[in-house]
Coordinates of all heavy atoms in Angstrom, one line a residue:
M252 N 6.4 22.2 -9.8 CA 5.8 22.2 -8.4 C 6.9 22.8 -7.5 O 8.0 22.4 -7.5 CB 5.4 20.8 -8.0 CG 4.8 20.7 -6.7 SD 4.1 19.1 -6.3 CE 5.5 18.3 -5.7
S253 N 6.4 23.7 -6.6 CA 7.3 24.2 -5.6 C 6.8 24.0 -4.2 O 5.5 23.8 -4.0 CB 7.5 25.7 -5.8 OG 6.2 26.4 -5.7
L254 N 7.7 23.9 -3.3 CA 7.3 23.7 -1.9 C 7.1 25.0 -1.2 O 7.7 26.0 -1.5 CB 8.4 22.9 -1.2 CG 8.7 21.5 -1.6 CD1 9.9 20.9 -0.9 CD2 7.5 20.6 -1.4
L255 N 6.2 25.0 -0.2 CA 6.1 26.2 0.7 C 7.5 26.4 1.4 O 8.3 25.4 1.6 CB 5.1 25.9 1.8 CG 3.6 25.9 1.5 CD1 2.8 25.5 2.7 CD2 3.2 27.3 1.0
P256 N 7.8 27.6 1.7 CA 9.0 27.8 2.6 C 8.9 26.9 3.8 O 7.9 26.7 4.4 CB 8.9 29.3 2.9 CG 8.1 29.9 1.8 CD 7.1 28.9 1.5
A257 N 10.1 26.4 4.2 CA 10.1 25.5 5.3 C 9.5 26.0 6.6 O 8.8 25.3 7.3 CB 11.6 25.1 5.6
T258 N 9.6 27.3 6.8 CA 9.1 27.9 8.1 C 7.6 28.0 8.1 O 7.0 28.3 9.1 CB 9.7 29.2 8.3 OG1 9.5 30.1 7.2 CG2 11.2 29.1 8.6
E259 N 6.9 27.7 6.9 CA 5.5 27.9 6.8 C 4.7 26.5 6.9 O 3.5 26.5 6.8 CB 5.1 28.6 5.6 CG 5.5 30.1 5.6 CD 5.1 30.8 4.3 OE1 4.1 30.4 3.7 OE2 5.7 31.8 4.0
V260 N 5.5 25.4 7.0 CA 4.9 24.1 7.0 C 4.5 23.7 8.4 O 5.4 23.7 9.3 CB 5.8 23.1 6.3 CG1 5.2 21.7 6.4 CG2 6.1 23.4 4.9
N261 N 3.3 23.2 8.6 CA 2.9 22.6 9.9 C 3.2 21.1 9.8 O 2.7 20.4 8.9 CB 1.5 22.8 10.2 CG 1.2 24.3 10.6 OD1 1.9 24.9 11.3 ND2 0.1 24.8 10.1
T262 N 4.1 20.6 10.7 CA 4.6 19.3 10.5 C 3.8 18.2 11.2 O 3.9 17.0 10.9 CB 6.0 19.2 11.0 OG1 6.1 19.6 12.4 CG2 6.9 20.1 10.2
A263 N 2.9 18.6 12.2 CA 2.1 17.5 12.8 C 1.3 16.7 11.8 O 1.3 15.5 11.9 CB 1.3 18.1 14.0
P264 N 0.6 17.4 10.9 CA -0.2 16.6 9.9 C 0.7 15.8 9.0 O 0.3 14.7 8.5 CB -1.0 17.6 9.1 CG -0.8 18.9 9.8 CD 0.3 18.8 10.8
V265 N 1.9 16.3 8.7 CA 2.8 15.6 7.8 C 3.3 14.3 8.5 O 3.4 13.3 7.9 CB 4.0 16.5 7.4 CG1 5.1 15.7 6.6 CG2 3.5 17.7 6.6
V266 N 3.6 14.5 9.8 CA 4.0 13.3 10.6 C 2.9 12.3 10.6 O 3.1 11.1 10.4 CB 4.4 13.7 12.0 CG1 4.5 12.6 13.0 CG2 5.7 14.5 12.0
A267 N 1.7 12.7 10.8 CA 0.5 11.8 10.9 C 0.4 11.1 9.5 O 0.1 9.9 9.5 CB -0.7 12.5 11.3
L268 N 0.5 11.8 8.5 CA 0.4 11.2 7.1 C 1.5 10.2 6.9 O 1.2 9.1 6.4 CB 0.5 12.3 6.0 CG 0.5 11.8 4.6 CD1 -0.8 11.1 4.3 CD2 0.7 13.0 3.6
G269 N 2.7 10.5 7.3 CA 3.8 9.6 7.1 C 3.6 8.3 7.9 O 3.8 7.2 7.3
L270 N 3.2 8.4 9.1 CA 3.1 7.2 9.9 C 1.8 6.4 9.6 O 1.9 5.2 9.4 CB 3.1 7.5 11.4 CG 4.5 8.0 11.9 CD1 4.4 8.6 13.3 CD2 5.5 6.9 11.9
V271 N 0.7 7.1 9.6 CA -0.6 6.4 9.3 C -0.7 6.0 7.8 O -1.0 4.8 7.5 CB -1.8 7.2 9.7 CG1 -3.1 6.5 9.3 CG2 -1.8 7.4 11.2
G272 N -0.3 6.9 7.0 CA -0.4 6.7 5.5 C 0.6 5.6 5.1 O 0.3 4.7 4.3
G273 N 1.8 5.7 5.7 CA 2.8 4.6 5.3 C 2.3 3.2 5.7 O 2.5 2.3 5.0
F274 N 1.8 3.1 6.9 CA 1.2 1.9 7.4 C 0.1 1.4 6.5 O 0.1 0.2 6.0 CB 0.7 2.0 8.8 CG -0.1 0.8 9.3 CD1 0.5 -0.4 9.6 CD2 -1.5 0.8 9.4 CE1 -0.2 -1.5 10.0 CE2 -2.2 -0.3 9.8 CZ -1.6 -1.5 10.1
L275 N -0.8 2.3 6.2 CA -2.0 1.9 5.3 C -1.5 1.5 3.9 O -2.0 0.5 3.4 CB -2.9 3.1 5.3 CG -4.3 2.8 4.6 CD1 -5.0 1.7 5.3 CD2 -5.1 4.1 4.6
V276 N -0.6 2.3 3.3 CA -0.2 1.9 2.0 C 0.5 0.5 2.0 O 0.3 -0.3 1.1 CB 0.8 3.0 1.4 CG1 1.6 2.5 0.2 CG2 0.0 4.3 1.1
A277 N 1.4 0.3 3.0 CA 2.1 -1.0 3.1 C 1.1 -2.1 3.3 O 1.2 -3.2 2.6 CB 3.1 -0.9 4.2
R278 N 0.1 -1.9 4.1 CA -0.8 -3.0 4.4 C -1.7 -3.3 3.2 O -2.0 -4.4 2.9 CB -1.7 -2.5 5.6 CG -2.7 -3.6 6.0 CD -3.4 -3.1 7.3 NE -4.5 -4.0 7.6 CZ -5.0 -4.2 8.8 NH1 -4.5 -3.5 9.8 NH2 -5.9 -5.1 9.0
E279 N -2.3 -2.2 2.6 CA -3.3 -2.4 1.6 C -2.6 -2.8 0.2 O -3.3 -3.6 -0.5 CB -4.1 -1.2 1.4 CG -5.0 -0.9 2.6 CD -5.9 -2.0 3.0 OE1 -6.6 -2.6 2.1 OE2 -6.0 -2.3 4.2
S280 N -1.4 -2.4 0.0 CA -0.8 -2.8 -1.3 C 0.0 -4.1 -1.2 O 0.2 -4.7 -2.2 CB 0.2 -1.7 -1.7 OG 1.4 -1.7 -0.9
G281 N 0.3 -4.5 0.1 CA 1.1 -5.7 0.3 C 2.6 -5.4 -0.1 O 3.4 -6.4 0.0
I282 N 3.0 -4.2 -0.4 CA 4.3 -3.9 -0.7 C 4.9 -2.9 0.4 O 4.7 -1.7 0.3 CB 4.4 -3.2 -2.1 CG1 3.7 -4.0 -3.2 CG2 5.8 -2.8 -2.5 CD1 3.5 -3.3 -4.5
R283 N 5.6 -3.5 1.3 CA 6.0 -2.8 2.5 C 7.0 -1.6 2.1 O 6.8 -0.5 2.7 CB 6.7 -3.7 3.5 CG 5.7 -4.7 4.1 CD 6.3 -5.6 5.1 NE 6.6 -4.8 6.3 CZ 7.2 -5.3 7.4 NH1 7.5 -6.6 7.4 NH2 7.4 -4.6 8.4
P284 N 7.9 -1.8 1.1 CA 8.7 -0.7 0.8 C 8.0 0.5 0.2 O 8.4 1.7 0.3 CB 9.7 -1.2 -0.3 CG 9.7 -2.7 0.0 CD 8.3 -3.0 0.5
L285 N 6.8 0.3 -0.4 CA 6.0 1.4 -0.9 C 5.5 2.3 0.3 O 5.5 3.5 0.2 CB 4.8 0.9 -1.7 CG 4.0 1.9 -2.5 CD1 4.9 2.6 -3.5 CD2 2.9 1.1 -3.2
G286 N 5.1 1.7 1.4 CA 4.8 2.4 2.6 C 6.0 3.2 3.1 O 5.9 4.3 3.6
G287 N 7.1 2.6 3.0 CA 8.4 3.2 3.4 C 8.7 4.5 2.6 O 9.3 5.4 3.1
V288 N 8.3 4.5 1.3 CA 8.5 5.6 0.5 C 7.7 6.8 1.0 O 8.3 7.9 1.2 CB 8.2 5.3 -1.0 CG1 8.1 6.6 -1.8 CG2 9.2 4.3 -1.6
L289 N 6.5 6.6 1.4 CA 5.7 7.6 2.0 C 6.2 8.1 3.3 O 6.3 9.3 3.6 CB 4.2 7.2 2.1 CG 3.2 8.2 2.6 CD1 3.2 9.4 1.7 CD2 1.8 7.6 2.7
L290 N 6.6 7.1 4.1 CA 7.2 7.5 5.4 C 8.4 8.3 5.3 O 8.6 9.3 6.0 CB 7.5 6.2 6.2 CG 8.2 6.3 7.5 CD1 7.1 6.6 8.6 CD2 9.0 5.1 7.9
A291 N 9.3 8.0 4.3 CA 10.5 8.7 4.1 C 10.3 10.1 3.6 O 10.9 11.1 4.0 CB 11.5 7.9 3.2
G292 N 9.4 10.2 2.6 CA 9.1 11.5 2.0 C 8.5 12.5 3.0 O 8.9 13.6 3.1
C293 N 7.6 12.0 3.8 CA 7.0 12.8 4.9 C 8.1 13.2 5.9 O 8.1 14.3 6.4 CB 5.8 12.2 5.5 SG 4.4 12.1 4.4
G294 N 8.9 12.3 6.2 CA 10.0 12.5 7.2 C 10.9 13.6 6.7 O 11.4 14.5 7.4
A295 N 11.3 13.5 5.4 CA 12.1 14.5 4.8 C 11.5 15.9 4.8 O 12.2 16.9 5.1 CB 12.5 14.1 3.3
L296 N 10.2 16.0 4.4 CA 9.5 17.3 4.4 C 9.5 17.8 5.8 O 9.7 19.0 6.0 CB 8.1 17.1 3.8 CG 7.3 18.4 3.8 CD1 7.9 19.4 2.9 CD2 5.9 18.0 3.3
A297 N 9.1 17.0 6.8 CA 9.0 17.5 8.2 C 10.4 17.9 8.7 O 10.6 18.9 9.3 CB 8.4 16.4 9.1
G298 N 11.4 17.1 8.4 CA 12.8 17.4 8.9 C 13.3 18.7 8.3 O 14.0 19.4 9.1
R299 N 13.0 19.0 7.1 CA 13.3 20.3 6.5 C 12.8 21.5 7.4 O 13.5 22.4 7.6 CB 12.8 20.3 5.1 CG 12.9 21.6 4.4 CD 12.2 21.4 3.0 NE 12.0 22.6 2.3 CZ 10.8 23.3 2.2 NH1 9.7 22.8 2.8 NH2 10.7 24.4 1.6
T300 N 11.5 21.3 7.8 CA 10.9 22.4 8.6 C 11.5 22.4 10.0 O 11.8 23.5 10.6 CB 9.4 22.2 8.6 OG1 8.9 22.3 7.3 CG2 8.7 23.1 9.6
W301 N 11.7 21.2 10.6 CA 12.3 21.2 11.9 C 13.6 21.8 12.0 O 13.9 22.6 12.9 CB 12.3 19.8 12.4 CG 11.0 19.1 12.6 CD1 9.8 19.7 12.8 CD2 10.7 17.7 12.5 NE1 8.8 18.7 12.9 CE2 9.4 17.5 12.7 CE3 11.5 16.6 12.2 CZ2 8.8 16.2 12.7 CZ3 10.9 15.3 12.2 CH2 9.6 15.2 12.4
L302 N 14.4 21.6 11.0 CA 15.7 22.2 10.9 C 15.6 23.7 10.8 O 16.3 24.5 11.5 CB 16.5 21.6 9.7 CG 18.0 22.1 9.6 CD1 18.8 21.7 10.9 CD2 18.6 21.4 8.4
A303 N 14.7 24.2 9.9 CA 14.6 25.6 9.7 C 14.0 26.3 10.9 O 14.4 27.5 11.2 CB 13.7 25.9 8.5
K304 N 13.1 25.7 11.6 CA 12.4 26.4 12.7 C 13.2 26.2 14.1 O 13.2 27.1 14.9 CB 11.0 25.8 12.9 CG 10.0 26.3 11.9 CD 8.6 25.8 12.3 CE 7.5 26.4 11.4 NZ 6.2 25.9 11.8
G305 N 13.8 25.1 14.2 CA 14.4 24.8 15.6 C 15.8 24.5 15.6 O 16.4 24.3 16.7
G306 N 16.5 24.3 14.4 CA 17.9 24.0 14.4 C 18.1 22.5 14.5 O 17.2 21.7 14.5
P307 N 19.4 22.1 14.5 CA 19.8 20.7 14.4 C 19.4 19.9 15.6 O 19.1 18.7 15.4 CB 21.3 20.7 14.2 CG 21.7 22.1 14.6 CD 20.6 23.0 14.4
V308 N 19.4 20.4 16.7 CA 19.0 19.6 17.9 C 17.5 19.3 17.9 O 17.2 18.1 18.1 CB 19.4 20.4 19.2 CG1 18.8 19.6 20.4 CG2 20.9 20.6 19.3
T309 N 16.7 20.2 17.6 CA 15.2 20.0 17.5 C 15.0 19.0 16.3 O 14.2 18.0 16.5 CB 14.4 21.3 17.3 OG1 14.7 22.1 18.4 CG2 13.0 21.0 17.1
A310 N 15.6 19.2 15.2 CA 15.4 18.4 14.0 C 15.9 16.9 14.3 O 15.2 16.0 14.0 CB 16.2 18.9 12.8
G311 N 17.0 16.8 15.0 CA 17.5 15.5 15.4 C 16.6 14.7 16.3 O 16.3 13.6 16.2
A312 N 16.1 15.5 17.3 CA 15.2 14.9 18.3 C 13.9 14.4 17.7 O 13.4 13.3 18.0 CB 15.0 15.8 19.5
L313 N 13.3 15.3 16.9 CA 12.0 15.0 16.3 C 12.1 13.9 15.3 O 11.3 13.0 15.2 CB 11.3 16.2 15.8 CG 10.8 17.2 16.8 CD1 10.3 18.5 16.1 CD2 9.7 16.6 17.6
S314 N 13.2 13.9 14.6 CA 13.5 12.8 13.6 C 13.6 11.5 14.3 O 13.1 10.5 13.8 CB 14.7 13.1 12.7 OG 14.5 14.3 12.0
A315 N 14.4 11.5 15.4 CA 14.6 10.2 16.1 C 13.2 9.7 16.7 O 13.0 8.5 16.7 CB 15.5 10.5 17.3
L316 N 12.4 10.6 17.2 CA 11.1 10.3 17.6 C 10.2 9.7 16.5 O 9.5 8.7 16.7 CB 10.4 11.4 18.3 CG 9.0 11.1 19.0 CD1 9.2 10.1 20.1 CD2 8.5 12.4 19.6
Y317 N 10.2 10.3 15.4 CA 9.5 9.9 14.2 C 9.9 8.5 13.8 O 9.1 7.6 13.6 CB 9.7 10.9 13.1 CG 9.0 10.6 11.8 CD1 7.6 10.7 11.6 CD2 9.7 10.3 10.6 CE1 6.9 10.5 10.4 CE2 9.0 10.0 9.4 CZ 7.7 10.1 9.3 OH 7.0 9.9 8.1
L318 N 11.2 8.3 13.6 CA 11.7 7.0 13.2 C 11.5 6.0 14.3 O 11.3 4.8 14.1 CB 13.1 7.1 12.7 CG 13.3 7.9 11.4 CD1 14.8 8.1 11.1 CD2 12.6 7.2 10.3
G319 N 11.7 6.4 15.5 CA 11.5 5.5 16.7 C 10.1 5.1 16.8 O 9.8 3.9 17.2
G320 N 9.2 6.0 16.5 CA 7.8 5.6 16.5 C 7.4 4.6 15.5 O 6.7 3.6 15.8
F321 N 8.0 4.7 14.3 CA 7.9 3.7 13.3 C 8.4 2.3 13.8 O 7.7 1.3 13.7 CB 8.6 4.1 12.0 CG 8.7 3.0 11.0 CD1 7.7 2.5 10.3 CD2 10.0 2.5 10.8 CE1 7.8 1.5 9.4 CE2 10.2 1.5 9.9 CZ 9.1 1.0 9.2
G322 N 9.6 2.4 14.3 CA 10.2 1.1 14.7 C 9.5 0.5 16.0 O 9.3 -0.7 16.1
G323 N 9.1 1.4 16.9 CA 8.5 1.0 18.1 C 7.1 0.5 17.9 O 6.5 -0.3 18.7
S324 N 6.4 0.9 16.8 CA 5.1 0.4 16.6 C 5.0 -1.0 16.3 O 4.0 -1.7 16.6 CB 4.4 1.2 15.4 OG 5.0 0.9 14.2
H325 N 6.1 -1.6 15.8 CA 6.0 -3.0 15.5 C 5.9 -3.9 16.7 O 5.0 -4.8 16.8 CB 7.2 -3.4 14.6 CG 7.2 -2.8 13.2 ND1 7.6 -1.5 13.0 CD2 6.7 -3.3 12.1 CE1 7.4 -1.3 11.7 NE2 6.9 -2.3 11.1
P326 N 6.8 -3.8 17.7 CA 6.6 -4.6 18.9 C 5.4 -4.3 19.7 O 4.8 -5.1 20.3 CB 7.9 -4.4 19.7 CG 8.5 -3.2 19.2 CD 8.1 -3.0 17.8
L327 N 5.0 -3.0 19.7 CA 3.8 -2.5 20.4 C 2.6 -3.2 19.8 O 1.6 -3.5 20.5 CB 3.7 -1.0 20.4 CG 2.6 -0.4 21.2 CD1 2.6 -0.8 22.6 CD2 2.6 1.1 21.0
A328 N 2.6 -3.4 18.5 CA 1.5 -4.0 17.8 C 1.2 -5.4 18.3 O 0.1 -5.8 18.3 CB 1.7 -3.9 16.3
K329 N 2.2 -6.1 18.7 CA 2.1 -7.5 19.1 C 1.4 -7.5 20.5 O 0.7 -8.5 20.8 CB 3.4 -8.1 19.3 CG 4.1 -8.4 17.9 CD 5.4 -9.1 18.0 CE 5.9 -9.2 16.6 NZ 7.1 -10.0 16.5
K330 N 1.4 -6.4 21.2 CA 0.7 -6.3 22.5 C -0.7 -5.7 22.4 O -1.6 -6.2 23.1 CB 1.6 -5.5 23.5 CG 2.9 -6.1 23.8 CD 3.7 -5.2 24.7 CE 5.1 -5.7 24.9 NZ 5.2 -6.8 25.9
I331 N -0.9 -4.7 21.6 CA -2.2 -4.0 21.6 C -2.9 -4.0 20.2 O -4.0 -3.5 20.1 CB -2.0 -2.5 22.1 CG1 -1.2 -1.7 21.1 CG2 -1.5 -2.5 23.5 CD1 -1.2 -0.2 21.5
G332 N -2.2 -4.5 19.2 CA -2.8 -4.6 17.9 C -2.2 -3.5 17.0 O -1.7 -2.5 17.4
A333 N -2.4 -3.7 15.7 CA -1.7 -2.9 14.7 C -2.2 -1.4 14.7 O -1.5 -0.5 14.9 CB -1.8 -3.5 13.3
W334 N -3.5 -1.3 14.5 CA -4.1 0.1 14.5 C -3.9 0.8 15.8 O -3.6 2.0 15.7 CB -5.6 0.0 14.0 CG -5.7 -0.1 12.5 CD1 -6.2 -1.1 11.8 CD2 -5.3 0.9 11.6 NE1 -6.1 -0.8 10.5 CE2 -5.6 0.4 10.3 CE3 -4.8 2.2 11.6 CZ2 -5.4 1.1 9.1 CZ3 -4.5 2.9 10.5 CH2 -4.8 2.4 9.2
P335 N -4.2 0.3 16.9 CA -3.9 1.0 18.2 C -2.5 1.4 18.3 O -2.2 2.5 18.8 CB -4.4 0.1 19.3 CG -5.4 -0.8 18.6 CD -4.9 -1.0 17.2
S336 N -1.6 0.6 17.9 CA -0.2 0.9 18.0 C 0.2 2.0 17.1 O 0.9 3.0 17.5 CB 0.7 -0.4 17.6 OG 2.0 -0.1 17.5
V337 N -0.3 2.0 15.8 CA 0.0 3.1 14.9 C -0.6 4.4 15.4 O 0.0 5.5 15.4 CB -0.5 2.8 13.5 CG1 -0.5 4.0 12.6 CG2 0.3 1.6 12.9
A338 N -1.8 4.3 16.0 CA -2.5 5.5 16.5 C -1.7 6.1 17.7 O -1.5 7.3 17.8 CB -3.9 5.2 16.9
A339 N -1.2 5.2 18.5 CA -0.4 5.7 19.7 C 0.9 6.4 19.3 O 1.2 7.5 19.8 CB -0.2 4.5 20.7
V340 N 1.7 5.8 18.5 CA 2.9 6.4 18.1 C 2.7 7.6 17.3 O 3.5 8.6 17.4 CB 3.9 5.4 17.4 CG1 4.2 4.2 18.3 CG2 3.4 4.9 16.1
T341 N 1.7 7.6 16.5 CA 1.4 8.8 15.7 C 1.0 10.0 16.6 O 1.4 11.1 16.4 CB 0.2 8.5 14.7 OG1 0.7 7.5 13.8 CG2 -0.1 9.7 13.8
A342 N 0.1 9.7 17.6 CA -0.3 10.8 18.5 C 1.0 11.3 19.2 O 1.1 12.6 19.4 CB -1.3 10.2 19.5
L343 N 1.9 10.5 19.6 CA 3.1 10.9 20.3 C 3.9 11.8 19.4 O 4.4 12.9 19.8 CB 3.8 9.7 20.9 CG 5.1 10.0 21.6 CD1 4.8 10.8 22.9 CD2 5.8 8.7 21.9
A344 N 4.2 11.2 18.2 CA 5.2 11.9 17.3 C 4.5 13.2 16.8 O 5.2 14.3 16.7 CB 5.5 11.0 16.2
A345 N 3.3 13.2 16.4 CA 2.6 14.4 15.9 C 2.5 15.5 17.0 O 2.7 16.7 16.8 CB 1.3 14.1 15.3
G346 N 2.2 15.0 18.2 CA 2.1 15.9 19.4 C 3.4 16.6 19.7 O 3.4 17.8 19.9
A347 N 4.4 15.8 19.6 CA 5.8 16.4 19.9 C 6.2 17.4 18.8 O 6.8 18.4 19.0 CB 6.8 15.3 19.9
A348 N 5.8 17.1 17.5 CA 6.1 18.0 16.4 C 5.4 19.3 16.6 O 5.9 20.4 16.3 CB 5.7 17.3 15.1
Y349 N 4.1 19.2 17.0 CA 3.3 20.4 17.3 C 4.0 21.3 18.4 O 4.2 22.5 18.2 CB 1.9 20.1 17.6 CG 1.1 21.3 18.0 CD1 0.7 22.2 17.1 CD2 0.9 21.6 19.4 CE1 0.0 23.4 17.4 CE2 0.3 22.8 19.7 CZ -0.2 23.6 18.8 OH -0.8 24.8 19.1
V350 N 4.3 20.6 19.5 CA 4.8 21.4 20.6 C 6.2 21.9 20.3 O 6.5 23.1 20.6 CB 4.9 20.4 21.9 CG1 5.7 21.1 23.0 CG2 3.5 20.1 22.3
A351 N 7.1 21.1 19.7 CA 8.5 21.6 19.5 C 8.7 22.4 18.3 O 9.7 23.2 18.2 CB 9.4 20.4 19.4
S352 N 7.7 22.4 17.3 CA 8.0 23.1 16.1 C 6.8 23.9 15.6 O 7.0 25.1 15.3 CB 8.4 22.1 15.0 OG 8.6 22.7 13.8
D353 N 5.6 23.3 15.5 CA 4.5 24.0 14.8 C 3.9 25.2 15.6 O 3.5 26.2 14.9 CB 3.4 23.0 14.6 CG 3.8 21.9 13.6 OD1 4.9 22.0 13.0 OD2 3.0 20.9 13.5
R354 N 3.9 25.2 16.9 CA 3.3 26.3 17.6 C 4.2 27.5 17.7 O 3.8 28.5 18.2 CB 2.8 25.8 18.9 CG 3.8 25.5 19.9 CD 3.2 25.2 21.3 NE 4.3 24.9 22.2 CZ 4.0 24.7 23.5 NH1 2.8 24.6 23.9 NH2 5.0 24.5 24.3
R355 N 5.4 27.4 17.2 CA 6.3 28.6 17.2 C 5.7 29.7 16.3 O 5.2 29.6 15.3 CB 7.6 28.2 16.7 CG 8.4 27.3 17.6 CD 9.7 27.0 17.1 NE 10.4 26.2 18.1 CZ 11.7 26.5 18.4 NH1 12.4 27.4 17.8 NH2 12.2 25.8 19.4

């Protein structure tokens, strides 16, 4: 199996898959690290593209937002609920990925 060239990957859907899919896998399987595997894999794939398209500053900023969204969704979930929290951080992170990387 081969990957597309890094510059041809649209990362907003990858970010959404990592955040929403990671949450769903962890929740439905009851194995939180399994959701983390999906989160990490999608983050690595997206990070590869961010680095290729925007350089280390863009890659670092979008990676921090992606991981910050994951971490921030936990306390936010206590205020607005799990699914709304995941949806909010996913929209923010995927939107930023689109603006900073995908629309180039």
Side-chain angles (χ1 to χ4, degrees):
M252 179 170 86
S253 63
L254 295 175
L255 286 173
T258 56
E259 293 183 24
V260 175
N261 288 319
T262 60
V265 175
V266 166
L268 175 63
L270 291 168
V271 174
F274 170 73
L275 188 60
V276 166
R278 181 177 176 155
E279 295 302 314
S280 71
I282 305 169
R283 293 180 74 180
L285 191 57
V288 169
L289 182 59
L290 179 80
C293 289
L296 179 62
R299 169 182 169 260
T300 296
W301 296 333
L302 186 60
K304 285 185 174 181
V308 173
T309 298
L313 289 173
S314 295
L316 185 59
Y317 180 70
L318 292 174
F321 165 70
S324 68
H325 291 84
L327 184 59
K329 292 180 182 188
K330 296 181 185 277
I331 65 172
W334 278 113
S336 172
V337 170
V340 300
T341 299
L343 178 66
Y349 174 77
V350 169
S352 180
D353 294 350
R354 71 177 180 175
R355 289 179 175 228

